[in-house]
């Protein structure tokens, strides 16, 4: 049978000046590991209460199973505090079992539930005293997660999923609008993402060829016309159409249009990225 030890618990009351030693009550109790301990504290000695803290033992690091904290108010109402309204400084959390690797275990009750207190009743079990296998507890601490932490992570995940759904809906709406806009020919000519020159002088487009022919023909006619009307002109000079010159001008115009088209496309792609 486990030998009983004399331990000390302490309650701190925040009277508006934070938790101070002078605003506390201590209670000694005999305890064997695993036995249920129930302590009652008379809080009517404090003129004002706006915070409640319970330290289950002051002597050693420990593992505590908190069964309940019940607070009684001036109007006679008693309320057992829910777990989500209690905080603790435990190193490992198996709610309602808490392991502490230090000698200062604490439980804090939500301040909103600590106004006008006259009595507190706390029930708990001391499951372990000291930490003989600190490395073991450290490993548990690394790989454990409390229910509160799980709830916080799930809430963050749910929030992120909701934001992702909103973004997906917005993305679908924008894609529909984009398809509607690109369905119009005017937009294609003026604001096509590949560049307006791509539409007019695109790969395999006959307009590219005709534009180069037109520029080459204009150039050749200009040269021919200038030579024909020049004075004086030797009688032996024969005016003729130069296919070689025409071809070279056409090739140069074709390459120039292709280069301009490529530069415009590159600029449009840069704006989109």
């Amino acid at each position: 049978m486990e030998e009983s030890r004399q331990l000390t618990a302490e309650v701190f009351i925040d009277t508006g000046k934070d938790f101070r030693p002078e605003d506390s009550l201590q209670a000694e109790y005999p305890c064997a590991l695993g036995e249920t301990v129930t302590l009652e504290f008379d809080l009517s000695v404090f003129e004002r209460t706006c915070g409640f803290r319970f330290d289950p033992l002051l002597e050693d690091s420990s593992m505590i199973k908190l069964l309940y904290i019940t607070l009684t108010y001036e109007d006679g109402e008693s309320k057992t505090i829910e777990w989500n309204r209690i905080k603790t400084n435990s190193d490992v959390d198996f709610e309602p079992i808490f392991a502490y690797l230090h000698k200062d275990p604490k439980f804090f009750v939500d301040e909103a539930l600590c106004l006008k207190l006259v009595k507190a009743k706390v029930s708990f079990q001391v499951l372990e005293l000291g930490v003989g296998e600190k490395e073991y507890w450290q490993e548990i601490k690394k790989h454990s997660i409390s229910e509160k932490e799980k709830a916080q992570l799930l809430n963050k995940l749910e929030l992120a999923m909701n934001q992702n759904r909103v973004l997906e809906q917005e993305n679908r709406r924008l894609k529909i609008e984009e398809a509607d806009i690109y369905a119009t020919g005017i937009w294609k000519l003026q604001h096509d993402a590949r560049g307006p020159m791509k539409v007019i002088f695109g790969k395999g487009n006959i307009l590219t060829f005709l534009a180069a022919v037109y520029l080459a023909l204009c150039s050749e006619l200009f040269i021919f016309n200038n030579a024909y009307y020049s004075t004086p002109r030797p009688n032996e000079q024969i005016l003729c159409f130069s296919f070689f010159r025409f071809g070279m001008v056409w090739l140069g115009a074709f390459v120039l249009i292709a280069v301009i088209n490529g530069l415009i496309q590159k600029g449009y792609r840069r704006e989109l990225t």
Side-chain angles (χ1 to χ4, degrees), residues 31-258:
C31 175
L33 299 183
E35 288 187 354
T36 299
V37 178
T38 301
L39 301 176
E40 292 190 16
F41 299 89
D42 182 10
L43 307 181
S44 61
V45 297
F46 302 102
E47 295 182 0
R48 181 187 179 193
T49 64
C50 55
F52 179 89
R53 187 184 105 192
F54 174 64
D55 297 3
L57 59 91
L58 308 179
E59 287 80 8
D60 205 344
S61 54
S62 61
M63 179 188 288
I64 300 292
K65 181 177 183 180
L66 182 65
L67 301 178
Y68 63 81
I69 295 178
T70 300
L71 301 179
T72 303
Y73 301 87
E74 289 182 359
D75 58 4
E77 179 187 7
S78 293
K79 181 179 296 186
T80 299
I81 309 302
E82 298 176 354
W83 291 111
N84 59 355
R85 308 299 291 272
I86 300 174
K87 295 182 180 180
T88 184
N89 63 340
S90 63
D91 294 288
V92 185
D93 186 348
F94 303 107
E95 188 176 296
I97 298 175
F98 307 93
Y100 303 86
L101 303 181
H102 51 82
K103 297 183 179 182
D104 191 21
K106 303 174 183 177
F107 292 95
F108 300 87
V109 175
D110 190 336
E111 293 179 355
L113 303 175
C114 299
L115 300 176
K116 299 180 179 180
L117 300 176
V118 295
K119 188 171 68 173
K121 185 176 181 180
V122 183
S123 183
F124 61 97
Q125 296 174 355
V126 179
L127 303 181
E128 180 181 297
L129 286 173
V131 186
E133 301 291 340
K134 288 188 177 181
E135 293 80 6
Y136 169 74
W137 284 113
Q138 292 292 351
E139 285 300 315
I140 291 180
K141 181 179 179 180
K142 289 180 185 177
H143 299 92
S144 66
I145 181 170
S146 67
E147 293 299 322
K148 293 178 182 178
E149 290 173 327
K150 288 180 183 178
Q152 291 174 353
L153 291 175
L154 289 175
N155 288 336
K156 291 180 180 178
L157 178 60
E158 184 177 1
L159 180 60
M161 291 177 66
N162 290 336
Q163 292 176 342
N164 186 56
R165 281 193 289 266
V166 171
L167 291 175
E168 287 179 350
Q169 293 175 356
E170 181 67 13
N171 187 45
R172 284 194 294 268
R173 184 185 67 80
L174 292 175
K175 285 184 177 180
I176 294 173
E177 289 184 0
E178 180 186 21
D180 292 340
I181 293 172
Y182 269 73
T184 63
I186 296 177
W187 175 268
K188 284 186 176 181
L189 288 174
Q190 296 179 354
H191 302 285
D192 194 279
R194 299 171 299 173
M197 293 288 286
K198 182 70 174 180
V199 177
I200 300 174
F201 306 114
K203 182 179 180 182
N205 197 325
I206 191 62
L207 291 178
T208 306
F209 174 81
L210 293 177
V213 170
Y214 177 78
L215 293 175
L217 184 59
C218 288
S219 176
E220 184 64 24
L221 289 176
F222 175 80
I223 295 172
F224 184 89
N225 187 67
N226 186 60
Y228 184 83
Y229 288 101
S230 64
T231 55
R233 177 166 59 89
N235 293 330
E236 66 275 8
Q237 183 178 0
I238 300 174
L239 298 177
C240 61
F241 185 87
S242 175
F243 288 96
F244 176 80
R245 187 168 53 218
F246 175 85
M248 294 301 294
V249 173
W250 173 83
L251 180 61
F254 192 92
V255 172
L256 180 62
I257 293 172

Side-chain angles (χ1 to χ4, degrees), residues 252-268:
F254 192 92
V255 172
L256 180 62
I257 293 172
V259 170
I260 294 174
N261 183 34
L263 292 175
I264 293 176
Q265 290 182 57
K266 185 176 181 181
Y268 270 74

Side-chain angles (χ1 to χ4, degrees), residues 10-26 42-43 45-49 51 53 55:
E10 189 169 15
V11 163
F12 287 84
I13 297 298
D14 183 358
T15 61
K17 301 178 181 179
D18 207 351
F19 297 110
R20 305 183 304 170
E22 52 266 37
D23 297 323
S24 66
L25 299 173
Q26 288 189 354
D42 182 10
L43 307 181
V45 297
F46 302 102
E47 295 182 0
R48 181 187 179 193
T49 64
R53 187 184 105 192
D55 297 3

